Every structure is written in C-alpha cells, then in structure tokens.
Amino acid sequence: MRLLVTGGLGFIGSNFIRHWISQHSKDQITNLDKVTYAANPDNLTDLDSNSNYRFIKGDICDQSVVDQLMSNIDLVVNFAAETHVDRSIDDPLLFVKTNVLGTYTLLKSALKHKIKHFHHISTDEVYGTIDHETKDEFSETTPFDPTSPYAAYKASADHFALSFFKTYDLPLTITNCSNNYGPYQNPEKFIPRVITNLLTNKKIPIYGKGENLRDWLYVDDHCRAIETVIEHGKVGETYCIGGLKEACRNIDIVKKILKIMGKSENLIKYVTDRPAHDNYRVSWKKIKEDLAWEPQESLDSGLEKTIDWYQKNQDWWKKAKIEAENFYQKLDNYKNLK
Ligand code: NAD
Ligand code: TYD
C-alpha cells in the first residue's frame, strides 16, 4: 500500500510513521510536512536509509503539490495542523489556513484521484467542555460545541471531511482523540513542559487551580488505534479515542511527575488561567466494543517512559524549549498589558 501522511514530522505523525513501518514494512510512505516551528526534522532520521520512506517539504494548502503527490496514493492519513490552544488564542487567524483550507485541499485532491481511504485525525476538543461536577463524557454522538479557536477550526475540518463522505462518497474515517503524551512532543505542551521545566530547575506553571480535567493517552496507543480504524473501521464513521477510565486533574498529573522525578511540590506555581478553559472526558466504548482496541499503557508506566525519554534526549528538546518559553513570555507580557 502507498500512504500519504501529512504532518509526519510532528509529534503524533512521526510516532505513527515509525509504528506503521514497523508493522507494514513493505508499504511506501510519503511524508508531506511544511516544517513549522512544531516539526523537528530529526524526528525520523532513523528512516533516512529506508527506501520505502520519503519526505517532501511542502504545504497541505498547496493544491499543485498535493495533486502531484496524491496521484500515486492509496491511503491518506491527515495529521497536519496547527495544534496549540494557547497559540490559537494568541493568533487565531494562523489556524484557519492549515486546519480548514489545508484539510479541504487534501479532501478535494483525494476525491479527484479516487483515493481508496482518507483518514482524518481530530481531537475530543471539538465537543467543547464537560461539566466538572457530573460524570458526563464525550462520545461520537455528542454535538460539536468548540470553545477555543483551535477546537473551532478542527471542528470545521471534521465537518468538511464528513461532508465529502456524505456528498461525494469519499471513503473516509475520522478519529477524535484525547490528549496525547510521550516521546517527541514539543515542550510547549503541558506534560513535556512540566518535565523539561523540572530538568532545567524551573517552577511548574499551573493554569488556574489545576483542577481542569483531561483524558491522557500514551502516543503509541493512539498510533495503534489509528491503525485499527484504518484496517477495520467502517467508512463514514467517527471513533472517539481515550486512555483513562477516569479523567485526571492537571494538578494530579503534576504530582505524579514530581513523585517519579523525586522533586518537591514547592516547585508548583499557580498562574493566571487560560480564558474559557475547558474540561474533557471522553468515552472510548465504541472503538473498544466494535474494533477491540484498548490502551496498553497505564498512565504511570507511560509517564515513566516519557520522563525517561526527555531525560535521555535533552539535545532534541533544548532549542524548541527556548522557542516555547519565549512564546509564553510574550503571552504573559500581553496578558499584563490588558
Ligand atoms: P504537532 O504540532 O506536533 O505537529 C503538527 C505537524 O504538522 C508539524 O510537523 C507541522 O510542521 C505540520 N504542519 C503544520 N501545518 C502544515 C501545513 N500547512 N502543511 C503541512 N504540514 C503542516 O501536532 P500533533 O500533536 O502531532 O498533532 C497531530 C494531529 O493530531 C493534529 O491534527 C491534532 O489536531 C491531532 N490531535 C493531537 C492531540 C495531541 O494531544 N497532541 C490529540 C488529539 C488530536
Ligand atoms: P495543553 O498541553 O496545552 O493541551 P490542551 O489545552 O489542548 O488540552 O494543556 C493541557 C492542560 O494543561 C490544559 O488544561 C492547560 C494546562 N496547562 C497548564 O496548567 N500549564 C501549562 O504550562 C500548560 C502548557 C498547560
């Protein structure tokens, strides 16, 4: 099979390509990535000598590049996106192009080239927020109610994707996954930010009271879930993916990391909350019952592996860490001016 993977130099995309090649060594993968600040060209250097893998630097919004690549492809897996909620609050316009127009460009080209399967990667954030006090959880039938600009653009892309199935019969599946963590995640995101702050003797900024809820999934489990949906999912269907039985408060995650790393809770610093800060809890009953997928990694073992990876790969994250902390500094200055 010939795959076009977009955004494959980012966190989940690079883990997915490595996973797919390990399971399907004869398949050919083309990785189309614009190499934004979020990408790291070193993520897949281990595949440089693999003749079944090739990297193309390019933009999913560029119709001519997309058309050229799509002409020899069976399966598209679309990861490419701007992905950081805080950046979407700071500069919402940046997200429209890639997350909406980019997905549309891919869908249009996939239809033109009669692609056998288009898999679109999305997030549980499209569903909005759950009530903190109840046991409500998102599922595939929850109406979209996005809060942040990031979630709004992802929701828009999901709607476009489904419309291409309903209107033009494009064979398509979608997965809406909860928060991922694991190796190769940009240190702007919560878990790697906490770990890398501790490794550089900085305090840990917790938004608000640290009570916001997230479901966390180890990235390898997400990659297996995507593979399961591609191989066994029903065309036209959406599958929610999550990792926990009980959603976790941010403060609980931080305490777990502090404990594993043998650090003091005095390092916690409560900071101004994110505007319209959501809570997420997602049911992954459908993918478990219909496709027999379930996570293999526990939160504790996944965090241990992740901490170990960031400890051993400081050269990988040092540059991105400076860039991320500069962004947060700019955001703080902006907040103080308001
Ligand atoms: P990431 O920010 O680490 O990587 C995104 C990648 O997309 C980067 O390599 C970047 O260079 C590339 N990219 C951005 N704009 C592009 C464009 N116009 N053309 C081509 N490439 C472009 O993101 P991630 O965390 O790996 O997320 C991947 C996908 O999974 C996204 O669609 C995201 O919405 C979704 N998702 C992420 C999470 C999570 O917790 N990280 C959870 C659920 C869903
Ligand atoms: P993040 O990794 O940005 O993912 P998302 O907002 O898409 O879920 O943040 C995860 C949670 O952690 C979210 O509730 C915000 C919170 N958070 C902090 O408390 N401190 C931080 O420094 C960051 C980056 C996030």
Side-chain angles (χ1 to χ4, degrees):
M1 190 153 56
R2 296 158 305 174
L3 283 76
L4 174 63
V5 176
T6 70
L9 283 187
F11 165 46
I12 308 173
S14 61
N15 277 288
F16 174 79
I17 289 177
R18 197 174 289 103
H19 172 80
W20 191 275
I21 283 184
S22 74
Q23 300 301 309
H24 312 263
S25 58
K26 296 210 169 90
D27 286 359
Q28 291 169 6
I29 298 192
T30 300
N31 172 11
L32 173 64
D33 196 299
K34 189 178 168 185
V35 195
T36 68
Y37 81 93
N40 187 328
D42 293 340
N43 283 4
L44 289 172
T45 42
D46 48 320
L47 297 181
D48 279 351
S49 59
N50 187 320
S51 58
N52 283 337
Y53 169 75
R54 68 171 174 155
F55 168 64
I56 306 284
K57 184 173 177 182
D59 191 331
I60 59 166
C61 302
D62 185 336
Q63 188 80 62
S64 62
V65 171
V66 168
D67 273 342
Q68 213 182 330
L69 296 179
M70 201 73 83
S71 59
N72 277 317
I73 293 295
D74 304 301
L75 166 67
V76 178
V77 190
N78 180 28
F79 291 93
E82 292 289 341
T83 61
H84 190 28
V85 172
D86 289 322
R87 287 186 198 256
S88 83
I89 293 170
D90 186 46
D91 185 4
L93 190 61
L94 176 70
F95 283 58
V96 181
K97 219 174 151 228
T98 293
N99 296 10
V100 184
L101 281 179
T103 302
Y104 166 74
T105 306
L106 290 169
L107 290 164
K108 199 169 120 188
S109 184
L111 194 62
K112 188 157 105 190
H113 292 93
K114 299 189 171 38
I115 295 301
K116 293 191 190 108
H117 189 164
F118 189 112
H119 184 73
H120 177 66
I121 309 291
S122 191
T123 162
D124 62 352
E125 305 195 20
V126 298
Y127 300 116
T129 190
I130 47 117
D131 186 340
H132 206 290
E133 306 307 321
T134 66
K135 288 283 169 201
D136 287 352
E137 48 188 14
F138 303 137
S139 75
E140 294 78 4
T141 55
T142 306
F144 283 14
D145 188 16
T147 307
S148 71
Y150 162 69
Y153 300 135
K154 290 297 290 185
S156 171
D158 289 19
H159 282 311
F160 263 117
L162 263 186
S163 79
F164 268 66
F165 164 71
K166 290 179 187 162
T167 310
Y168 309 113
D169 288 330
L170 179 71
L172 176 126
T173 42
I174 301 181
T175 41
N176 291 83
C177 188
S178 62
N179 285 65
N180 283 216
Y181 68 101
Y184 300 99
Q185 186 168 31
N186 189 296
E188 69 182 358
K189 302 283 168 53
F190 183 50
I191 288 182
R193 190 178 190 204
V194 171
I195 298 169
T196 54
N197 272 21
L198 291 173
L199 290 173
T200 49
N201 300 315
K202 289 195 184 72
K203 290 212 162 196
I204 300 167
I206 297 199
Y207 298 173
K209 294 185 181 145
E211 287 183 350
N212 288 76
L213 296 172
R214 292 286 182 279
D215 178 290
W216 292 99
L217 181 69
Y218 191 66
V219 65
D220 286 354
D221 281 324
H222 188 189
C223 295
R224 281 193 311 102
I226 297 166
E227 180 188 31
T228 303
V229 171
I230 287 170
E231 291 182 336
H232 307 291
K234 201 169 149 205
V235 165
E237 294 282 314
T238 288
Y239 295 86
C240 284
I241 310 171
L244 301 179
K245 293 210 166 67
E246 270 298 318
C248 210
R249 295 182 310 166
N250 292 337
I251 184 71
D252 298 327
I253 292 284
V254 169
K255 285 185 179 168
K256 276 180 185 290
I257 295 173
L258 285 168
K259 195 164 166 217
I260 297 170
M261 294 180 74
K263 302 274 187 181
S264 157
E265 291 187 11
N266 292 336
L267 290 165
I268 293 172
K269 178 176 79 174
Y270 292 94
V271 300
T272 316
D273 206 355
R274 175 187 280 172
H277 197 167
D278 282 339
N279 293 289
Y280 310 129
R281 193 187 285 122
V282 62
S283 161
W284 37 278
K285 203 166 151 218
K286 176 174 168 182
I287 186 170
K288 183 171 187 230
E289 289 184 355
D290 292 2
L291 307 182
W293 171 90
E294 59 184 332
Q296 289 178 352
E297 202 71 57
S298 73
L299 182 57
D300 289 325
S301 64
L303 284 175
E304 274 172 29
K305 280 187 181 176
T306 306
I307 291 166
D308 187 53
W309 190 86
Y310 281 89
Q311 271 167 340
K312 288 184 176 143
N313 290 280
Q314 308 214 3
D315 285 345
W316 181 89
W317 54 261
K318 280 222 161 109
K319 201 166 140 232
K321 175 84 182 154
I322 295 169
E323 206 276 335
E325 293 308 321
N326 284 343
F327 164 74
Y328 282 117
Q329 185 68 49
K330 194 186 100 200
L331 203 63
D332 283 346
N333 292 342
Y334 171 70
K335 275 189 212 149
N336 292 337
L337 287 177
K338 277 173 76 171

